[in-house]
Amino acid sequence: MATAPEPIVIPPENSNRIILHAPLRLSSSPSLPSNNRSPPLPWLQRTWNVTHSTLPMWRTAKNVRIAYTIIDVDGKQCLDDTVTNENIDGKPPSFMEKAMGMRKICGVDSLQENGGWAWKGKGWLKIAGVGRWEVLGWGEYNGEKWVVTWFEKTMFSPKGLDVYCDGVPSARLYEDIMAVLKGLGVGEVEELLGEMREVKHE
């Protein structure tokens, strides 16, 4: 019988500690400890800069931002999820990019009982099915709000990691996040760290 990991305490907003957990699928526990789940929705509700990512699609993009807004869906609090980005060379979106929604990706996130999230796309993106993602850690580091997310493979994107910040993260914050991710000792996570790239912001 698998042994559940020891509970990890989420840091208060003004803590400078970086505390992360392994993705649920790669953990010995089927759900996150109650004290290590996603941040309160009002805290998460804002526009975040995606500052570092393993996703190949963001290597030709800049100013990648994700806006979370609390909405009511059938009496349950969910998140309206809108990702916007620009072509890295500054060119306006092509007809195909507009038609495919490549520069604006819209969906709705529902919090799951295990502490993870289920994303469902809007419009034609409904064909993508359900995207599973989770918050591996969050907090405030010397005044910088940060979030690390893990997402599973979908019809259109590989599994991966994102780092969000409410601005442009300091080198120290990013270095500490990477060190803690590596220190998790999870093979799939370590492999992805080699794919992590900075996302340009202007």
Side-chain angles (χ1 to χ4, degrees):
M1 181 177 178
T3 302
E6 294 183 4
I8 304 173
V9 179
I10 282 291
E13 288 190 21
N14 293 322
S15 171
N16 289 334
R17 297 177 65 194
I18 302 295
I19 300 179
L20 304 171
H21 64 80
L24 284 168
R25 181 174 57 79
L26 306 176
S27 171
S28 59
S29 175
S31 63
L32 297 177
S34 60
N35 61 351
N36 194 24
R37 298 201 172 199
S38 285
L41 294 190
W43 189 90
L44 194 57
Q45 179 178 244
R46 69 185 72 238
T47 297
W48 296 93
N49 291 335
V50 180
T51 64
H52 296 79
S53 179
T54 62
L55 268 182
M57 67 185 292
W58 297 146
R59 294 176 190 172
T60 58
K62 65 180 181 180
N63 299 330
V64 180
R65 297 184 174 92
I66 181 164
Y68 293 128
T69 304
I70 300 171
I71 58 174
D72 182 279
V73 178
D74 297 327
K76 178 181 179 181
Q77 280 195 327
C78 296
L79 290 175
D80 184 83
D81 178 327
T82 302
V83 180
T84 57
N85 68 96
E86 302 171 25
N87 197 311
I88 198 167
D89 60 13
K91 294 181 179 178
S94 66
F95 173 80
M96 184 59 69
E97 288 174 332
K98 288 182 179 179
M100 297 295 289
M102 294 174 63
R103 299 303 174 197
K104 187 174 183 180
I105 303 168
C106 301
V108 174
D109 300 307
S110 301
L111 188 60
Q112 306 298 289
E113 290 186 3
N114 64 2
W117 289 87
W119 175 92
K120 292 184 179 180
K122 296 181 181 180
W124 74 270
L125 283 175
K126 290 179 180 178
I127 66 172
V130 177
R132 304 288 178 183
W133 66 280
E134 61 189 275
V135 174
L136 300 188
W138 62 280
E140 189 166 332
Y141 186 97
N142 291 326
E144 301 176 272
K145 289 184 173 64
W146 62 272
V147 181
V148 176
T149 63
W150 166 274
F151 42 91
E152 296 290 352
K153 180 180 179 181
T154 69
M155 182 185 298
F156 298 108
S157 61
K159 65 185 178 185
L161 291 159
D162 278 344
V163 177
Y164 305 166
C165 197
D166 62 348
V168 176
S170 63
R172 178 63 183 275
L173 170 58
Y174 177 66
E175 289 168 2
D176 284 359
I177 287 173
M178 291 294 283
V180 176
L181 283 170
K182 186 174 182 180
L184 291 175
V186 178
E188 283 189 42
V189 173
E190 289 189 43
E191 290 174 10
L192 280 171
L193 294 183
E195 302 298 318
M196 188 72 81
R197 299 289 188 275
E198 181 177 2
V199 179
K200 183 178 180 180
H201 281 268
E202 297 178 337

